[in-house]
Amino acid sequence: MEESSSLVRSVFVLCLVSSSVFCLDDSDQNAAASSSSAVYIVTLKDPPSVHSSSDRETSVSKHSLTSTSSQTYRTSNRSASIVRVHDSLLRKVLRKENYIKLYSYHYLINGFSAVITQQQADRLAAREEVHNVVLDYPVKKATTHTPQFLGLPRGAWPREGGSEYAGEGVVIGFIDTGIDPTHPSFSDKVPGHSYPVPPRFTGVCEVTTGFPSGSCNRKLVGARHFAESALSRGVLNSSQDDASPFDGEGHGTHTASVAAGNHGVPVVVCGHHLGNASGMAPRAHVAIYKALYKRFGGFAADIIAAIDQAAQDGVDIINLSITPNRRPPGIATFFNPIDMALLSAVKAGIFVVQAAGNTGPAPKSMSSFSPWIFTVGATSHDRVYTNSIILGNNVTISGVGLASGTRTMHKLVLAAHALRNGTTIMDAIYVGECQDSSSYELKLVNGKILVCSYTVRFILGVSTIKQALLTAKNLTAAGLVFYMDPSSTGFQMTSTPMDIPGILISSPQDSLALLQYYNTSLSRDNASGKIVGSASVARIVGGMKPTYGITAPKVMYFSARGPDPEDDSFQDADVMKPNLVAPGNSIWGAWSPLGIGTADFQGERFAMESGTSMSAPHVTGIAALIKQKFPHFTPAAIASALSTTASLTDRKGGPIMAQRTVLNPDATQTPATPFDMGSGFVNATAALDPGLIFDIGYNEYMKFLCRINGSSPVVLNYTGESCSAYNSSLAASDLNLPSVTIAKLVGTRTVLRWVTNIAATVANETYTVGWKAPDSVSVKVSPAKFTIGNGQTRVLSLVFRAMKNGSVASFGKIGIIGDRGHVVNIPVTVIYKIAV
């Protein structure tokens, strides 16, 4: 861990791919450091409430699958005592000086955040009871068909009683941008039996001007907002940033609905009915902890407060669709305030899902590091919206766009050929983008199809399709066509809603064909040579009906990739990341009409978004189904059920492919490896009947952390526990994960894995073990065959030997096949091989 006066150089991003780039530089941090006061996060050596030995039983044994609810750990007296210690410390050290305490963290970590000067921070850091003081850092924000694509209606949902019961009783906490409580996806007035009051949950519904009384119900069971750090900096405007749980951005509403939105909610966008939406666990309860805001993002101090409160309230699962855009500094990526707070949440029985990040496809671009966090990458699914335009020369060009078609042929007019008298292209350099109707002559566009240029400015968010639509309507155009400008060649166009006939031509070759047809049909004045019209005509077919059956899933180019970096020096961790992949491209979800997260869906109640922000809540919802069926599962057991049952092939039986470049990604795709997809693509139905489980207790995570060189004081800081209390330590590859990753294999290495039979049948099941060794590595598993009864545990010995030297990662897998239909897959990765 760095010295107390050093800065934490981490930035968190919303894991959503759009036309904007969600990254911050260090300017905000530098400004804070140079000002007279700033927000600091102070952690103390004493344990928080969740780690207090008086408040809990001893740690879950490594063979136990039972998870104790976070409510068991709650002791108000202990928490109140910790808060008093914080106040007393501040009074002693900063007697008669100005300071503002923002939060006391007492449940998951023992510490507080305060507005103080750097000199005051240094004096606090010098106190014996204080272990670390870090400067607060900025954070920023990182479906109608996917339930069918994942097989939920005929698979997982019927096992829980159908969509009317799927996820019932499970509370999911979302750390995000808030929620629109009026959205029908979160109503408790649904057909069938009424929503029950969720057991154990004690959260509250905050009432503010923007979030009136009655906003919560039995579906939306809790809502709070956290903004003390933002307020202390003066960056939060109460009217513009919705200082309430209300979602003024749209992202939080979207992610919550993907995981747990009500079943059968009509999706209507631009007046078009596009089907009915459902979350993965449509009967799960939703609790919102808003800590990110539409204009500036958020700050770690507020994020930690939100996580701490969610755990105290008794949520079962936490969804984090945010990630840092760089590795945290220090001795290991795992030691940062947010990950360590989440370790305490996992200890309290809370399953944590985090987006992998959108920094792919580069290797080591992973932004979610710790083995106790379930990290999810993004894939495509098999639904696409396509439309087409038929030219007057009988050439048909396909494209994208959620729009209706024209009934008849209409003349085409290029935007640059419809300028007002006196307006030149030099006067309006971006006139081809159709952003300002005042630049054009109405009579030249009226009743025609307006042809506009889709440039890189659309990708950057400077120009918008919504504004071009407004231009076309103001000029009474019959339709709107975008051709791909050379500046945007290689970027993917997405299906954008249009309230008039329209199409985006996403191929540079097809764009050229359109322009060539148009140009050959131009007519000019003989005397001046000025263009006076065009005989070109076209009809837009429209693209409101989706098509299915394309090859899917494939790992999207933006999805962050492994290997998992252990530290800031790019060393590889023996931990597989991502854990899994799930749909994250072109996902329909609920939207706040006031949301400004994407210009194309402003004013709408649903939006189609892409990013690992969308893939994470898919897994969150499926985890809720597992939690419902197995309420006593530990977080590690839930993670195991998801991982070992994942699909390794696409829907057509071929290998899952991964896009390798940002430009023309489909042209560079190759078979996905565990660095791309982890254990594979989520299989909701199989995850509810995994057969065998790999479990990990809190003690094992502690032994793993204590093995890291120089970690003892950091572990003591965050957990209040001394590494000397643990008689042994564990290498990362020895954690009982449902995967094996060895960054450096020297000679022969033996690792152990233990599996527990949780199958419903009381009969024994006999498993046969097979494997495919990574290149340059030999593998032997013993026993190669074993019989196991319900509730029993077996230890497997996995021996890896480097056969020849190599520095290129190679991949294999171990399959454990049961005679009662269970299949357990374990991905194997070895990076450096040194034969001895």
Side-chain angles (χ1 to χ4, degrees), residues 162-449:
S163 61
E164 291 187 1
Y165 292 88
E168 188 166 278
V170 179
V171 181
I172 304 174
F174 295 87
I175 315 297
D176 218 299
T177 64
I179 196 167
D180 179 358
T182 68
H183 201 284
S185 292
F186 311 113
S187 172
D188 63 354
K189 305 296 190 296
V190 294
H193 76 287
S194 61
Y195 272 99
V197 176
R200 304 177 311 280
F201 184 75
T202 60
V204 301
C205 189
E206 179 183 321
V207 176
T208 67
T209 302
F211 211 79
S213 177
S215 293
C216 291
N217 52 46
R218 292 189 177 191
K219 171 72 172 183
L220 176 58
V221 293
R224 301 175 188 245
H225 88 286
F226 300 82
E228 293 302 321
S229 183
L231 283 167
S232 73
R233 299 162 183 263
V235 299
L236 188 142
N237 182 306
S238 296
S239 60
Q240 295 181 30
D241 294 306
D242 299 301
S244 77
F246 184 82
D247 184 10
E249 205 276 350
H251 185 265
T253 300
H254 196 281
T255 57
S257 72
V258 170
N262 284 329
H263 180 70
V265 179
V267 178
V268 179
V269 176
C270 283
H272 307 303
H273 187 276
L274 299 168
N276 295 318
S278 175
M280 303 302 106
R283 292 290 292 194
H285 305 277
V286 172
I288 295 298
Y289 300 87
K290 177 178 176 178
L292 297 120
Y293 296 82
K294 59 186 178 183
R295 288 194 310 115
F296 59 87
F299 300 93
D302 295 326
I303 294 288
I304 295 168
I307 295 170
D308 197 65
Q309 188 62 59
Q312 291 182 71
D313 290 347
V315 302
D316 298 296
I317 301 171
I318 288 177
N319 184 90
L320 280 170
S321 285
I322 57 173
T323 61
N325 73 340
R326 65 191 73 181
R327 282 167 297 284
I331 62 173
T333 55
F334 321 115
F335 293 117
N336 65 80
I338 292 179
D339 276 37
M340 294 308 293
L342 292 173
L343 173 61
S344 294
V346 167
K347 180 183 184 183
I350 300 169
F351 184 63
V352 178
V353 181
Q354 185 175 25
N358 299 329
T359 46
K364 297 187 182 181
S365 54
M366 185 54 51
S367 300
S368 174
F369 316 104
S370 299
W372 52 86
I373 298 171
F374 200 81
T375 304
V376 185
T379 71
S380 64
H381 53 90
D382 68 344
R383 180 201 64 208
V384 293
Y385 291 90
T386 59
N387 59 0
S388 57
I389 181 170
I390 302 174
L391 305 181
N393 59 1
N394 291 322
V395 172
T396 298
I397 296 175
S398 54
V400 296
L402 297 169
S404 58
T406 58
R407 295 183 178 180
T408 60
M409 290 282 189
H410 292 266
K411 284 191 173 183
L412 297 171
V413 59
L414 194 67
H417 297 162
L419 298 178
R420 285 182 179 274
N421 287 334
T423 302
T424 67
I425 294 180
M426 294 303 297
D427 295 330
I429 190 169
Y430 301 116
V431 69
E433 299 171 1
C434 303
Q435 297 296 291
D436 183 3
S437 58
S438 65
S439 300
Y440 310 97
E441 188 68 55
L442 186 149
K443 66 180 181 180
L444 297 179
V445 180
N446 177 43
K448 299 177 182 177
I449 295 176

Side-chain angles (χ1 to χ4, degrees), residues 358-620:
N358 299 329
T359 46
K364 297 187 182 181
S365 54
M366 185 54 51
S367 300
S368 174
F369 316 104
S370 299
W372 52 86
I373 298 171
F374 200 81
T375 304
V376 185
T379 71
S380 64
H381 53 90
D382 68 344
R383 180 201 64 208
V384 293
Y385 291 90
T386 59
N387 59 0
S388 57
I389 181 170
I390 302 174
L391 305 181
N393 59 1
N394 291 322
V395 172
T396 298
I397 296 175
S398 54
V400 296
L402 297 169
S404 58
T406 58
R407 295 183 178 180
T408 60
M409 290 282 189
H410 292 266
K411 284 191 173 183
L412 297 171
V413 59
L414 194 67
H417 297 162
L419 298 178
R420 285 182 179 274
N421 287 334
T423 302
T424 67
I425 294 180
M426 294 303 297
D427 295 330
I429 190 169
Y430 301 116
V431 69
E433 299 171 1
C434 303
Q435 297 296 291
D436 183 3
S437 58
S438 65
S439 300
Y440 310 97
E441 188 68 55
L442 186 149
K443 66 180 181 180
L444 297 179
V445 180
N446 177 43
K448 299 177 182 177
I449 295 176
L450 181 63
V451 181
C452 309
S453 174
Y454 187 92
T455 71
V456 71
R457 287 163 51 87
F458 286 86
I459 298 166
L460 298 174
V462 179
S463 298
T464 68
I465 292 173
K466 201 175 189 72
Q467 188 60 39
L469 285 166
L470 182 61
T471 295
K473 287 185 288 186
N474 287 341
L475 298 172
T476 61
L480 183 65
V481 175
F482 285 94
Y483 67 89
M484 179 175 281
D485 183 84
S487 68
S488 59
T489 298
F491 289 95
Q492 289 188 322
M493 290 183 175
T494 57
S495 296
T496 301
M498 303 182 186
D499 52 4
I500 63 173
I503 182 174
L504 289 74
I505 300 174
S506 51
S507 161
Q509 293 78 18
D510 290 340
S511 297
L512 183 61
L514 169 70
L515 293 176
Q516 287 176 339
Y517 166 66
Y518 176 83
N519 288 330
T520 57
S521 305
L522 290 174
S523 56
R524 299 176 182 270
D525 180 78
N526 291 330
S528 65
K530 180 180 179 181
I531 297 171
V532 293
S534 173
S536 60
V537 293
R539 178 170 69 88
I540 299 172
V541 176
M544 301 307 303
K545 293 183 179 180
T547 57
Y548 301 93
I550 63 169
T551 301
K554 61 185 173 187
V555 182
M556 299 305 297
Y557 66 90
F558 55 78
S559 187
R561 312 298 167 91
D564 187 13
E566 183 179 30
D567 53 41
D568 202 38
S569 66
F570 241 47
Q571 292 296 309
D572 299 320
D574 287 349
V575 176
M576 187 186 73
K577 292 290 178 177
N579 296 87
L580 205 68
V581 288
N585 188 59
S586 299
I587 305 299
W588 282 116
W591 195 252
S592 172
L594 300 179
I596 63 168
T598 173
D600 294 331
F601 291 95
Q602 285 185 14
E604 302 292 346
R605 304 224 71 175
F606 280 88
M608 181 185 287
E609 298 291 274
S610 297
T612 54
S613 276
M614 284 66 249
S615 53
H618 277 90
V619 172
T620 294

Side-chain angles (χ1 to χ4, degrees), residues 522-777:
L522 290 174
S523 56
R524 299 176 182 270
D525 180 78
N526 291 330
S528 65
K530 180 180 179 181
I531 297 171
V532 293
S534 173
S536 60
V537 293
R539 178 170 69 88
I540 299 172
V541 176
M544 301 307 303
K545 293 183 179 180
T547 57
Y548 301 93
I550 63 169
T551 301
K554 61 185 173 187
V555 182
M556 299 305 297
Y557 66 90
F558 55 78
S559 187
R561 312 298 167 91
D564 187 13
E566 183 179 30
D567 53 41
D568 202 38
S569 66
F570 241 47
Q571 292 296 309
D572 299 320
D574 287 349
V575 176
M576 187 186 73
K577 292 290 178 177
N579 296 87
L580 205 68
V581 288
N585 188 59
S586 299
I587 305 299
W588 282 116
W591 195 252
S592 172
L594 300 179
I596 63 168
T598 173
D600 294 331
F601 291 95
Q602 285 185 14
E604 302 292 346
R605 304 224 71 175
F606 280 88
M608 181 185 287
E609 298 291 274
S610 297
T612 54
S613 276
M614 284 66 249
S615 53
H618 277 90
V619 172
T620 294
I622 294 169
L625 303 180
I626 299 173
K627 184 71 174 178
Q628 180 187 21
K629 181 175 180 180
F630 301 102
H632 300 299
F633 263 18
T634 63
I638 297 174
S640 175
L642 288 163
S643 298
T644 61
T645 60
S647 299
L648 299 175
T649 59
D650 62 28
R651 287 297 186 265
K652 295 183 179 180
I656 294 174
M657 305 297 282
Q659 297 176 334
R660 300 296 176 194
T661 59
V662 175
L663 298 179
N664 300 315
D666 282 338
T668 59
Q669 59 188 14
T670 59
T673 73
F675 289 164
D676 305 310
M677 66 176 182
S679 291
F681 182 75
V682 64
N683 185 330
T685 303
L688 290 173
D689 186 20
L692 301 177
I693 285 295
F694 296 75
D695 195 27
I696 305 176
Y698 171 75
N699 283 353
E700 282 66 56
Y701 291 128
M702 286 293 289
K703 291 177 181 179
F704 152 69
L705 292 173
C706 287
R707 188 181 177 91
I708 297 172
N709 188 34
S711 65
S712 293
V714 189
V715 171
L716 181 65
N717 167 38
Y718 283 112
T719 68
E721 297 186 50
S722 172
C723 284
S724 62
Y726 293 89
N727 296 326
S728 61
S729 61
L730 281 175
S733 58
D734 292 320
L735 282 170
N736 196 41
L737 296 167
S739 61
V740 178
T741 302
I742 301 176
K744 189 175 184 179
L745 177 62
V746 180
T748 301
R749 175 82 172 272
T750 300
V751 300
L752 302 179
R753 292 292 187 267
W754 60 91
V755 293
T756 301
N757 184 359
I758 55 90
T761 177
V762 296
N764 294 343
E765 187 164 5
T766 299
Y767 284 87
T768 302
V769 184
W771 56 84
K772 177 182 180 297
D775 290 343
S776 303
V777 176

